[in-house]
Amino acid sequence: MKTIFISVVFSLTAFSCNSNPTDENISQSTSSTLVGQWLWRQASGGLTGNQVITPSANTRIIISFLADGRYSESRNDTLLVSSNYTIQKGKTIYSTDSLDVIVFQNTDIEKRVIFSITKDSLNVADNYYDGYGFIYTKVNYRR
């Protein structure tokens, strides 16, 4: 009886695991493209949805994603935030499908939904209605 119980528990555990390779591949592809340094260009959104914020002429805000899961944010070479991050599939306000979401650990930074990412541009957004969308360009990207 004990052997049957263990077999049933093992079978249920094995069948309940998510084995959708498409979801894993999308996150892995996003993860490898995300790695690098990104220069903040603009944020837009807010309560009315049309507020646009850009950095002042003498301000450079750089966010960095390392392959080992570390994240940092600096302003004019001064470290502001350091954290670990993961990319997960998640429910968002933007789609009925799960989207790639950057999840930060041990920090007050909210999750960010990845709208689009290419070799030289990153577009992420807060996952709430009066949040902001952020546009970044890759630092030292060579075409």
Side-chain angles (χ1 to χ4, degrees):
M1 184 69 174
K2 184 177 180 181
T3 306
I4 293 172
F5 176 74
I6 291 172
S7 296
V8 168
V9 169
F10 178 75
S11 297
L12 289 174
T13 303
F15 287 119
S16 68
C17 292
N18 181 1
S19 62
N20 186 346
T22 304
D23 287 351
E24 293 171 8
N25 291 340
I26 292 171
S27 291
Q28 187 70 329
S29 172
T30 299
S31 179
S32 64
T33 307
L34 184 64
V35 171
Q37 292 186 318
W38 300 90
L39 175 65
W40 175 57
R41 295 294 185 185
Q42 175 182 310
S44 60
L47 196 55
T48 61
N50 59 4
Q51 184 177 9
V52 176
I53 302 169
T54 57
S56 62
N58 60 349
T59 301
R60 282 179 52 94
I61 296 177
I62 303 281
I63 60 173
S64 299
F65 294 93
L66 301 180
D68 66 359
R70 288 185 291 152
Y71 167 84
S72 64
E73 180 177 333
S74 61
R75 176 181 295 159
N76 296 338
D77 298 324
T78 301
L79 182 64
L80 300 175
V81 176
S82 180
S83 175
N84 290 327
Y85 77 94
T86 59
I87 298 175
Q88 302 172 1
K89 288 289 185 186
K91 293 183 180 181
T92 70
I93 62 171
Y94 305 103
S95 175
T96 56
D97 296 329
S98 291
L99 299 176
D100 287 333
V101 176
I102 305 169
V103 179
F104 301 93
Q105 285 87 38
N106 304 322
T107 183
D108 292 336
I109 302 173
E110 297 284 333
K111 296 176 184 178
R112 298 280 164 82
V113 178
I114 299 175
F115 272 131
S116 66
I117 185 168
T118 66
K119 293 178 182 179
D120 63 345
S121 68
L122 172 64
N123 186 350
V124 296
D126 294 326
N127 195 24
Y128 46 90
Y129 291 106
D130 57 351
Y132 284 84
F134 303 87
I135 299 172
Y136 297 89
T137 56
K138 192 96 172 217
V139 175
N140 296 329
Y141 176 74
R142 293 178 177 86
R143 292 184 190 266

